[in-house]
Amino acid sequence: MPDFWGAKWWDAWQAFGTVGATAIALLLALLGGVRAKMAEAALAREREERAKADRLATASLVSAWVESGYEASDDGTHYLRRGSVNVANESNEPVFDVHVVVGIGRPAVQIGPLAVPTPIPVLPPRRHRNWDISLGLLGHGGGLDLPSDPVAKIYFTDSRGVRWERNFEGKLVEPAEGNHEPAAEEEALKQLGDPTNSFNPIWMAVEFLNLLRREDPPVTAAEISPMLAEKAAGWSDMNDEALRNLGQELEDYGMATHVWYAAPQVAYVRLVEGGMPTGPQTAGYQEVQVRIITLVFYAGRGWRIFSVGGGATQPDWIEFPEGAIDDNYRGR
């Protein structure tokens, strides 16, 4: 038999076979390790996607939106603008500490919660709620790029304690850092709305507060009387001196830019001692001294001041003149 490098040829061939088998075994082991890592990575991705889906399971099914449109008045002389805010939780779990803000224009300028309670402590699963904001929208009908559909932004906390935001564009953001950020001066003026719009209660509140604080000449009861609600008996005891004292009590209070509507024709304007807080407002609460101006709307006549105090007057404690409550806000 011939030699091959000093060895019989079958010994050499056997040696090559052994080396080849070892190489194949190593290659198979390597491929097995790669497959195992790929399977492990796929499993990790699946777990991550499942965890993300579980995290979004509730939040993705919570939303807020505004429906608005125009309808003809009963007498056929003009159109009435109607609007409502809708809040829905279509998930199988409740959500908590819900805050809703309405915006109008492009880009959206937030005009406050309007008629939506602030906050909604619990929104149960499979629940849909809505509120009429027709008068609130009418009060912001000037000075903005209308017509455009109003939009809503919602903040809420899921059952896992995660804070979420669905912004004016409808995008879900997590985590939500706060319930809102302080507006710049220009933005705040837009939030106040058009000062010539008599359907906006904030301008009646501003005029009322300016009169109370006026020093020269001081306010008189006869001067302020046309601003007051007819059925608010407490004003009859407010003489000139009492009104001036009230103005001094409110001297250090700043006015909030957002109006809240407890009922379609009952509005609250907040006065905050030292002005509105600066810096982002988080999901928690900051304790401040507040006075509330309660205003009532008389159809065809406009807003009137019903009360000023540490608390708001609830709608069911307010008496209106006959015919003053009417969904045709311009009057018949």
Side-chain angles (χ1 to χ4, degrees), residues 13-26:
W13 184 255
Q14 186 177 10
F16 280 126
T18 302
V19 171
T22 303
I24 292 173
L26 289 173

Side-chain angles (χ1 to χ4, degrees), residues 27-47 49:
L27 180 60
L28 291 175
L30 179 61
L31 289 174
V34 170
R35 289 195 190 96
K37 288 183 178 180
M38 290 176 63
E40 185 179 345
L43 185 59
R45 285 195 301 270
E46 184 180 347
R47 289 197 192 101
E49 289 173 0

